[in-house]
Amino acid sequence: MSAALIEDAKHILEKLVAFPTISHESNLAMVDYMADFLRQLGARVFLQHNEDGRKANLFATLGPQKDGGVVLSGHSDVVPVEGQDWSSDPFMMLESNGRLYGRGTCDMKGFLACCLATAREAAELNLERPLHFAFTYDEEVGCFGAQALMRELARRNIKPAAALIGEPTMMQVIEGHKGCYEYTTNFVGLEGHGSGPDLGVNAIQYAARFITHLMDLGEELKDRAMAGSRFDPPWATIQVGRISGGAGRNIIAGHCSVEWEMRPVQPSDGAFVKESLETFIRQQLLPSMKAVSPAAGIETIIVGEVEGLQVVAQSEARDIAFEITGANGADVVAFGTEAGLFQEAGISAIICGPGSIEQAHKPNEFVDIDQLRSCLKMLARLQSKLI
C-alpha cells in the first residue's frame, strides 16, 4: 500500500471530523461532501432525506448496474461531546504518536474515510460486480436512517449480495451481535398536595414499581441464556438509562418518563419481556391507578427495535471477510450495529472496521493510524474480488 493512500485517507478523515454531525444536528453538509466526492469518480449516487429534510442517507454505486455486489456501510452521525473533558477541539482532527484524535475518528468516520480513499482506485477498475456505499444518518439514536434505507433499496429493487459494516472491531471479523430495543414508557397520574397521597396518583411511584419489575425480568433473563452462548454476558440484558418526572417534593407527581433498553440475544427474549410487562401493567398497575383517576395511564413508545445480527451457518459476507482479512475465525459482540437490518433485508452481513469500541463515545476519541492502514489493505483486497 502506498504512503499516498494513507495520507489521502487521513486528509479525508480530517474533513469528515470537521463536520459536527452530532445526532441532533444536520448531516447534510457532510453527506453533500461525500456525494460530490463519489460523483466525481463516476458513481451513481442518490440521497434519501428524512421527514424534515435536515438529514440524509447516501447510497452510491461503482461498477455495473445489476444484482449482487458488496455494500460498504457506515453511519455519518456521532455522539455529543458536551460534558466531556477533551484535551483538544473534538471537531479538529489532531495527529499525535501514531493516533488521530477527534470525535468520530473511531466511530466511525475512520472507516468512511478509508472507503472514500479506496474508491478512487475502484473507479479505475473494470468491476464485474457492483461496489456499493451506504452512509446513513441517526445510527446512534435508533438506526433510523438504515431502517429507511432498507425500505428504499427494496423500493428501487437494488439487491446487493453482501454488506460489510465498518464499526470499530480492531479489524476483527464479527459475525453476530445482540439486538437493541429502545423504549420510553410514560406514566400519567393525578397531581395533588403531598399531604394527601391517597387522593392522587403518583406517577413516579408507579414508574418505580415498573422499574422494579424490569430489574426482576433482567434477573430472569439470566436463566434464559442459551447453552454455549458466545456473548458476554451470555444472556439478554435490560438497562434503565434515564428517569424524569415530578414538580416538587411536596407535590404528587402527575407525570413520569422512563427511558430504558433491552438487548436480546434472540427475538424470543424480547417477546418474553414485552409479554410480561404488558401483563404486569394490565393486571397490577393500571387497575390501581384508574381506581383513583380514570384518566391515569401508561404508554410505551418504541424508539427503535433493531434486531441483532444472527450467526448463520452459511454467510457470503463472512467468507468474503475471511478472504480479504486473512482471518480464520469470527467472534460476536454485545454492542449493536446496523448489520442486523441488512441481514433482515436478505443481505448477508458482517462487521469489520478500524479502531476499538473502547474508544467510542469517550473524550479524546482516537483511531490508530495502523488500524487505518489495515482497513485500506482490506478494502483494496475486496476490489480484487469484484473484477
Side-chain angles (χ1 to χ4, degrees), residues 86-99:
W86 282 77
S87 300
S88 60
D89 184 339
F91 298 108
M92 184 177 294
M93 193 179 79
L94 172 68
E95 180 174 350
S96 178
N97 297 320
R99 294 173 173 176

Side-chain angles (χ1 to χ4, degrees), residues 166-174 335 351-357 371:
E167 288 279 3
T169 67
M170 292 297 288
M171 297 304 298
Q172 302 301 304
V173 179
I174 301 299
F335 64 84
I351 308 160
C352 185
S356 168
I357 196 66
Q371 284 286 297

Side-chain angles (χ1 to χ4, degrees), residues 30 45 53 65 95 110 126 158 169 207 241:
M30 177 172 152
V45 179
Q65 191 165 348
E95 180 174 350
N126 184 23
I158 298 174
T169 67

Side-chain angles (χ1 to χ4, degrees), residues 73-75 106-108 111 139-140 164-171 335-338 351-355 357:
S73 180
H75 59 83
C106 169
D107 185 21
M108 59 182 299
F111 178 72
E139 188 271 353
E140 297 288 5
L164 191 159
I165 292 80
E167 288 279 3
T169 67
M170 292 297 288
M171 297 304 298
F335 64 84
T337 78
E338 295 170 336
I351 308 160
C352 185
I357 196 66

Side-chain angles (χ1 to χ4, degrees), residues 51-75:
E51 290 183 0
D52 65 15
R54 296 178 62 248
K55 300 177 183 179
N57 292 319
L58 181 159
F59 192 86
T61 303
L62 290 169
Q65 191 165 348
K66 64 181 183 181
D67 291 350
V70 177
V71 181
L72 299 177
S73 180
H75 59 83

Side-chain angles (χ1 to χ4, degrees), residues 67-230:
D67 291 350
V70 177
V71 181
L72 299 177
S73 180
H75 59 83
S76 63
D77 58 322
V78 297
V79 297
V81 298
E82 286 78 13
Q84 295 187 336
D85 185 17
W86 282 77
S87 300
S88 60
D89 184 339
F91 298 108
M92 184 177 294
M93 193 179 79
L94 172 68
E95 180 174 350
S96 178
N97 297 320
R99 294 173 173 176
L100 302 174
Y101 290 87
R103 174 56 86 221
T105 51
C106 169
D107 185 21
M108 59 182 299
K109 293 181 178 180
F111 178 72
L112 301 187
C114 290
C115 290
L116 294 177
T118 53
R120 296 186 196 275
E121 297 179 350
E124 299 297 323
L125 300 174
N126 184 23
L127 298 177
E128 292 293 327
R129 300 179 67 190
L131 177 61
H132 305 286
F133 303 86
F135 302 150
T136 61
Y137 65 85
D138 279 357
E139 188 271 353
E140 297 288 5
V141 292
C143 295
F144 301 129
Q147 293 178 63
L149 181 60
M150 293 306 104
R151 294 191 293 269
E152 183 65 11
L153 294 183
R155 189 185 73 81
R156 291 174 179 255
N157 200 32
I158 298 174
K159 298 178 180 179
L164 191 159
I165 292 80
E167 288 279 3
T169 67
M170 292 297 288
M171 297 304 298
Q172 302 301 304
V173 179
I174 301 299
E175 64 178 341
H177 65 68
K178 296 180 182 181
C180 186
Y181 295 3
E182 299 180 346
Y183 306 95
T184 297
T185 300
N186 296 314
F187 297 79
V188 178
L190 178 64
E191 288 188 343
H193 197 283
S195 63
D198 291 343
L199 301 178
V201 177
N202 194 311
I204 289 177
Q205 292 181 358
Y206 281 97
R209 290 174 62 183
F210 175 83
I211 292 172
T212 299
H213 189 68
L214 276 179
M215 297 303 96
D216 290 341
L217 286 172
E219 291 300 311
E220 291 184 46
L221 286 170
K222 294 180 180 180
D223 296 328
R224 292 173 57 89
M226 296 184 297
S229 173
R230 296 159 59 193

Side-chain angles (χ1 to χ4, degrees), residues 171-173 321-330:
M171 297 304 298
Q172 302 301 304
V173 179
F322 284 171
E323 288 187 45
I324 62 178
T325 64
N328 55 15

